[in-house]
């Protein structure tokens, strides 16, 4: 059992009291339940006792009626005894009126007595089952039956003698007329008798012999176990049913009518109803044993017991639930609170800062830890405890709320920082003060500031040195690359062309090295920024692959691009940095792949409101990267250990990883030696939800005739079909086993047919080749067919559109803007004589008329608004630099396009040039393609 008052410590007194109250409450509820069950059983017992009493009263009433009628009959018969003047010869003959005169013998006075027994009286005797006997002391008048069965053959009971009756009558009271007598023995018979004559000593008696079976029928069938007939002295005389074992003392004490429990030695023995019967003061006892009472009470008792058990179980569960869900959690919280208090006190005492609590109303120190005493003194009323910080804290608390901070210096020389805030503690408004010794911190801070400043200065010096070296190297390198490019356009024999190619490759590597070093310097100094603009992810991926198609072809590698048709038409991001990352990945893939293919996949990973996550994946079949070297692959100057590959600087992947992370993306690597590598750059980009589906440059295709795509690459076939469907065409994959029935009226898109069995196609055909151009050209081997590049789905779609419209290109590509003469008049301002000559030669090769100047002042003097279409100027020149030149031109009102050229490849230089009024900015060295694109875009507005 639970303890009513559990032993708890003093700190747990509230919780222990709650537990004790809960247990006392449960005990009270249990007592109430038991009391209710007791009252219920008592009510049931009362109801049963009432029913028992009614049954016993009914039995006693029937017995009373039974004996009263027989006493009345006996009295009637006694009153029918008369004196006879003369006796008849036949004593048993009936008279004329139906009354028999039965002689009883002579009385004490000598006169004859007779019993006048009427027919009605005889019928009553028969109905009542009684027999009439005459008992006399007269030897001449023997005992005989006066009425009853076989009165002549059956003698009267021998125990009935006049002396017995006289003696029994003498033992009763004087007022009794009808006496009762019960014989002993196994066959007990009840006799009612009365003297047949008046006088003190009667000689003749009339006796009614009652039928024992009739008496039993009176008490049987009442539901009682037994009925007892007791004489006036309380002795049991007659039993009905089984013998009734009643306590003798209780039975002798019953002189009056009563209904009560029978008690013996303090224990109940049953219920009994005592009723006086007859004139002889006999008692009728109706008895019900205790086992019958308990048996009738057993069902209510079991119901009560079951209800109490259920209630106790419910109470137990409820108490346990309350204890577990309320008291125990409260006790746990109370203990945790005390533990937290103790822990907080320990933490305050062991804290590495000084802590004190000041009461606001009187300024007394309520709490302080050891460190505060060490710094401010052991006496809280004097010394540094009353320093300037005390007044400053009070003033700042009064003027502002929240955490405040001040500093002061102790007498011992400690520079302390005081953090203080108003709060409440033990019912008072207090000020919590925290002291920190910042002396060492200030020294370290000053040293760190000095070191940081020195590092920043060194970093700036390094950045300036790298930028200067980049500028100084790019300037002569422009002369080398420009001369080599011009030389490449002159007639050369095979050996000279090979030498020229080697020099150009080495120079390109040197230029890439310079750019990488400059990017690393920007990364280390935190100056690398993004230039966000709108671009097409599909066009970007295709243009990058087109740029590396020639390098892959030189190694006889197949390079492919596969773009996701779900890509948005336009996204916003830094396209140049993405191009740089893809260029590094494709360059490495070509470098470390000797056979097989390289695939660039551009897929849409996720699309949300205002943003799209795009995956740029470069996969190759190269040598692969060992797992041990993969974790360090993105570190600067890290290269895979390969005796066959020693070129490169190891900066490309490091720069690419930084650029991807700068664009909030992630660069992943999956590689297996001997199988190849896969680099995936997952980069988020912005999307204009209002204009995302409006692509004005998208090809316009028709649903008829349909297009069948035939290629060895399932991925390319699916991508091409979905792109063509996006642009309006009806596209299907070509099935070799089930050729289409409408081939004559359909277009075949055949990719790389040289690697497959030639296909006889009766209808129009578009052949996509790695050597094809971006503009479709007629295929001389197949009529009504076009050849286009494999690396641009948009170029393929344009060729399909031409076939759908019935417009075929000429047998060779039409002259493009790249090959036509520009016919521009260009003023060139360049202080470096070599670069000036290279620029002049490049512009003249593009079909321009060129006028050169050695600096900005000479260019300003030679400029006339009508004489030039474009001004191309260097930025850093003596006398008058390019920025000043463009400002002077704008001040003169000249609207001529101005292009700035510099060897400084930094975004800051570009922004500075555009802010000064220039229209475009080129980074040296400048090749013919870049120069043509810039001039064409400024003069015609068409980007090439």
């Amino acid at each position: 059992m639970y303890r009513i008052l559990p032993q708890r410590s003093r700190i747990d007194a509230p919780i222990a009291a709650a537990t004790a109250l809960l247990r006392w409450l449960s005990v009270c509820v249990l007592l109430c339940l038991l009391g209710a069950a007791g009252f219920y059983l008592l009510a049931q017992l009362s109801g049963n006792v009432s029913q028992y009493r009614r049954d016993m009263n009914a039995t006693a009433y029937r017995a009373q009626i039974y004996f009263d009628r027989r006493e009345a009959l006996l009295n009637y018969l006694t009153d029918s005894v008369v004196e006879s003047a003369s006796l008849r010869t036949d004593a048993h003959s009936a008279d004329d009126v139906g009354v028999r005169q039965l002689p009883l013998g002579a009385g004490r006075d000598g006169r004859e007595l007779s019993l006048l027994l009427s027919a009605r009286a005889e019928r009553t005797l028969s109905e009542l089952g009684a027999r009439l006997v005459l008992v006399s002391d007269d030897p001449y008048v023997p005992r005989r039956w006066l009425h009853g069965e076989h009165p002549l053959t059956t003698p009267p009971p021998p125990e009935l003698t006049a002396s017995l009756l006289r003696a029994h009558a003498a033992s009763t009271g004087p007022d009794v007329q009808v006496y009762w007598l019960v014989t002993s023995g196994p066959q007990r018979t009840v006799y009612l008798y009365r003297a047949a004559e008046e006088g003190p000593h009667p000689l003749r008696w009339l006796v009614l012999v009652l039928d024992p079976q009739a008496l039993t029928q009176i008490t049987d069938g009442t539901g009682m176990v037994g009925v007892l007939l007791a004489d006036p002295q309380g002795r049991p005389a007659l039993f009905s049913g089984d013998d009734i074992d009643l306590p003798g003392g209780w039975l002798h004490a019953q002189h009056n009518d009563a209904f009560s429990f029978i008690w013996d030695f303090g224990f109940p023995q049953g219920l009994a109803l005592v009723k006086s019967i007859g004139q002889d003061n006999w008692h009728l006892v109706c008895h019900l044993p205790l086992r019958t009472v308990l048996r009738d009470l057993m069902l209510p008792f079991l119901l009560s017991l079951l209800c109490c058990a259920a209630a106790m179980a419910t109470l137990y569960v409820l108490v346990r639930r309350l204890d577990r869900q309320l008291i125990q959690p409260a006790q746990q919280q109370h203990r945790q609170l005390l533990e937290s208090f103790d822990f907080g006190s320990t933490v305050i005492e062991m804290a590495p800062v000084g802590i004190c609590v000041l009461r606001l109303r009187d300024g007394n120190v309520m709490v302080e830890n050891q460190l505060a005493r060490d710094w401010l003194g052991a006496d809280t009323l004097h010394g540094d405890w009353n320093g300037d910080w005390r007044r400053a804290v009070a003033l700042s608390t009064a003027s502002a709320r929240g955490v405040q901070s001040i500093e002061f210096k102790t007498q011992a020389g400690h520079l302390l920082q005081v953090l203080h805030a108003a709060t409440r503690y033990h019912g008072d408004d207090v000020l919590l003060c925290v002291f920190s010794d910042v002396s060492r911190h200030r020294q370290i801070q000053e040293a760190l500031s000095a070191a940081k400043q020195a590092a920043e200065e060194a970093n700036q010096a390094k950045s300036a040195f790298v930028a200067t070296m980049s500028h100084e190297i790019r300037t002569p390198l422009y002369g080398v690359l420009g001369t080599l490019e011009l030389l490449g356009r002159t007639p050369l024999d095979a050996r000279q062309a090979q030498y020229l190619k080697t020099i150009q490759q080495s120079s390109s590597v040197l230029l890439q090295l310079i750019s990488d070093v400059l990017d690393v310097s920007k990364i280390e100094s935190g100056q690398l920024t993004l230039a966000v603009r709108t671009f097409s992810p599909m066009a970007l991926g295709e243009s990058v692959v087109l740029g590396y198609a020639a390098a892959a072809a030189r190694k006889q590698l197949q390079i492919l691009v596969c773009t996701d048709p779900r890509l948005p038409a336009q996204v916003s991001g830094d396209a140049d940095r993405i191009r740089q990352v893809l260029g590094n990945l494709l360059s490495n893939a070509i470098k470390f792949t000797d056979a097989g293919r390289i695939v660039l996949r551009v897929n849409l990973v996720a699309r949300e409101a205002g943003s799209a996550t795009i995956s740029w994946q470069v996969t190759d079949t190269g040598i692969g990267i060992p797992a041990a070297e993969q974790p360090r692959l993105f570190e600067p100057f890290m290269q895979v250990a390969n005796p066959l590959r020693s070129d490169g600087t190891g900066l490309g992947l490091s720069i690419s990883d930084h650029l991807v992370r700068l664009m909030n993306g992630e660069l992943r690597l999956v590689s297996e030696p001997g199988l190849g590598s896969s680099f995936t750059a997952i980069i988020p980009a912005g999307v204009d939800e209002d204009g995302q589906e409006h692509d004005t440059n998208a090809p316009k295709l028709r649903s008829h005739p349909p297009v069948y795509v035939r290629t060895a690459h399932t991925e390319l076939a699916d991508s091409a079909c979905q792109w063509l469907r996006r642009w309006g065409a009806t596209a299907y994959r070509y099935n070799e086993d089930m050729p289409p029935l409408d081939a004559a009226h359909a277009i075949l898109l055949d990719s790389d047919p040289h690697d497959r069995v030639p296909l006889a196609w009766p209808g129009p055909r578009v052949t996509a080749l790695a050597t094809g151009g971006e503009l479709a050209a007629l295929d001389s081997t197949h009529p009504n067919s076009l050849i286009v590049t494999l690396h641009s789905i948009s170029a393929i779609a344009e060729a399909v559109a031409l076939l759908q419209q019935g417009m075929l290109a000429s047998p060779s590509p039409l002259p493009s803007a790249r090959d036509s003469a520009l016919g521009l008049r260009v003023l060139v301002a360049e202080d470096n004589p070599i670069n000036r000559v290279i620029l002049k030669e490049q512009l003249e090769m593009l079909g321009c008329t060129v006028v050169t100047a050695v600096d900005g002042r000479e260019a300003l003097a030679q400029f006339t608004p009508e004489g030039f279409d474009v001004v191309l100027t260097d930025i850093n020149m003596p006398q008058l630099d390019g920025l000043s030149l463009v400002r002077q031109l704008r001040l003169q009102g000249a609207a001529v396009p101005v292009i700035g050229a510099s060897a400084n490849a930094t975004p800051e230089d570009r922004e500075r040039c555009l802010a000064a009024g220039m229209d475009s900015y080129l980074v040296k060295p400048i090749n013919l393609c870049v120069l043509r694109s810039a001039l064409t875009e400024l003069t015609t507005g068409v980007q090439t």
Side-chain angles (χ1 to χ4, degrees), residues 78-93:
T78 304
D79 293 338
S80 299
V81 176
V82 296
E83 294 180 354
S84 302
S86 59
L87 297 175
R88 298 183 178 179
T89 304
D90 189 3
H92 297 284
S93 62

Side-chain angles (χ1 to χ4, degrees), residues 523 633-637 650-659:
I523 291 173
L633 192 62
F634 298 107
E635 297 179 2
F637 304 103
L651 295 175
L653 288 179
S654 176
I655 294 173
S656 299
D657 180 63
H658 184 84
L659 290 176

Side-chain angles (χ1 to χ4, degrees), residues 471 475 478 827-840 851-856 858-859 872-878 880 885 901-903 924 926:
H471 179 272
T475 299
Y478 178 35
L827 174 61
V828 176
E830 172 62 61
D831 62 328
N832 188 285
I834 298 177
N835 291 346
R836 187 167 60 249
V837 172
I838 297 298
L839 272 175
K840 183 174 182 299
V851 176
T852 61
V854 298
D855 56 23
E858 183 179 347
L872 179 60
T873 176
D874 187 23
I875 302 301
N876 300 314
M877 294 183 296
L880 188 67
L885 173 61
S902 176
K924 297 179 182 178
I926 307 170

Side-chain angles (χ1 to χ4, degrees), residues 158-211:
E159 65 269 15
L160 291 178
T161 63
S163 59
L164 174 64
L165 298 181
R166 193 165 35 252
H168 180 265
S171 63
T172 60
D175 298 331
V176 178
Q177 294 181 353
V178 178
Y179 303 96
W180 291 45
L181 179 65
V182 178
T183 61
S184 60
Q187 295 292 333
R188 295 187 178 186
T189 306
V190 179
Y191 302 102
L192 301 182
Y193 66 95
R194 183 179 176 180
E197 53 185 329
E198 299 294 336
H201 300 287
L203 298 176
R204 295 169 179 83
W205 306 81
L206 293 180
V207 181
L208 280 181
V209 182
L210 302 186
D211 186 3

Side-chain angles (χ1 to χ4, degrees), residues 455-636:
E456 289 178 351
E457 292 175 355
N459 193 30
Q460 291 177 359
K462 182 189 70 173
S463 299
F465 171 76
V466 172
T468 302
M469 290 301 299
S470 174
H471 179 272
E472 295 302 324
I473 294 175
R474 283 175 180 272
T475 299
L477 188 61
Y478 178 35
V480 175
L481 293 177
T483 303
L484 292 175
E485 188 176 21
L486 294 175
L487 181 61
R489 293 180 176 264
T490 62
L492 300 173
D493 58 22
R495 175 175 290 185
Q496 292 172 341
Q498 182 63 35
Y499 290 160
L500 178 62
K501 179 179 178 182
T502 303
I503 298 173
Q504 285 179 331
Q505 290 178 352
S506 301
S507 301
S508 299
V509 172
L510 178 60
L511 178 60
Q512 184 62 42
L513 175 62
I514 295 172
S515 300
D516 290 345
V517 171
L518 183 59
D519 286 339
V520 171
S521 176
K522 292 177 182 178
I523 291 173
E524 293 179 349
S525 60
Q527 297 177 358
L528 192 63
T529 58
L530 300 177
V532 179
R533 63 182 178 86
T534 302
F535 68 95
S536 169
M538 178 196 69
L540 177 60
E542 292 178 349
S543 64
V544 173
V545 171
L546 283 171
Y548 286 88
R554 284 193 294 268
K555 293 190 67 174
Q556 297 183 352
L557 299 176
Q558 186 180 34
I559 186 169
L560 303 172
V561 58
C562 182
T563 55
D564 191 345
R566 301 175 301 156
L567 288 171
Q570 297 289 327
V571 297
S572 58
D574 194 335
D576 293 334
R577 294 301 183 185
I578 298 177
R579 185 188 300 274
Q580 181 179 353
V581 172
L582 297 179
N584 287 332
L585 298 180
L586 287 174
S587 176
N588 288 339
I590 294 173
K591 183 188 305 182
F592 294 101
T593 302
D594 295 327
R597 71 169 64 93
I598 299 168
V599 181
L600 170 62
R601 295 180 177 88
V602 186
N603 294 319
L604 179 64
V605 177
R607 181 76 173 269
E608 296 179 356
S611 67
T613 302
I614 300 176
S615 169
W616 310 80
Q617 183 185 47
V618 176
T619 303
D620 62 61
T621 58
I623 60 175
I625 303 171
E629 299 186 15
Q630 293 180 13
R632 300 174 51 246
L633 192 62
F634 298 107
E635 297 179 2

Side-chain angles (χ1 to χ4, degrees), residues 782-839:
H782 295 86
N784 200 19
S785 299
L786 297 176
I787 297 178
V788 72
T789 179
L790 176 65
H791 306 306
S792 175
I793 187 63
S794 58
I796 294 174
E798 292 290 351
V800 171
L802 291 176
L803 292 179
Q804 286 183 337
Q805 298 168 8
M807 300 170 57
L808 296 181
S810 57
S812 60
L814 296 175
S816 65
R818 298 181 181 181
D819 301 326
S820 61
L822 298 179
L824 299 176
R825 295 167 297 173
V826 182
L827 174 61
V828 176
E830 172 62 61
D831 62 328
N832 188 285
I834 298 177
N835 291 346
R836 187 167 60 249
V837 172
I838 297 298
L839 272 175

Side-chain angles (χ1 to χ4, degrees), residues 39 58 82 85 103 140 155 222 270 351 364 398 432 438 530 674 717 742 748 930 942:
F39 282 119
V82 296
Y140 300 102
T222 61
N364 290 336
L432 176 63
V438 295
L530 300 177
D742 56 347
L748 175 66
V930 174
V942 178

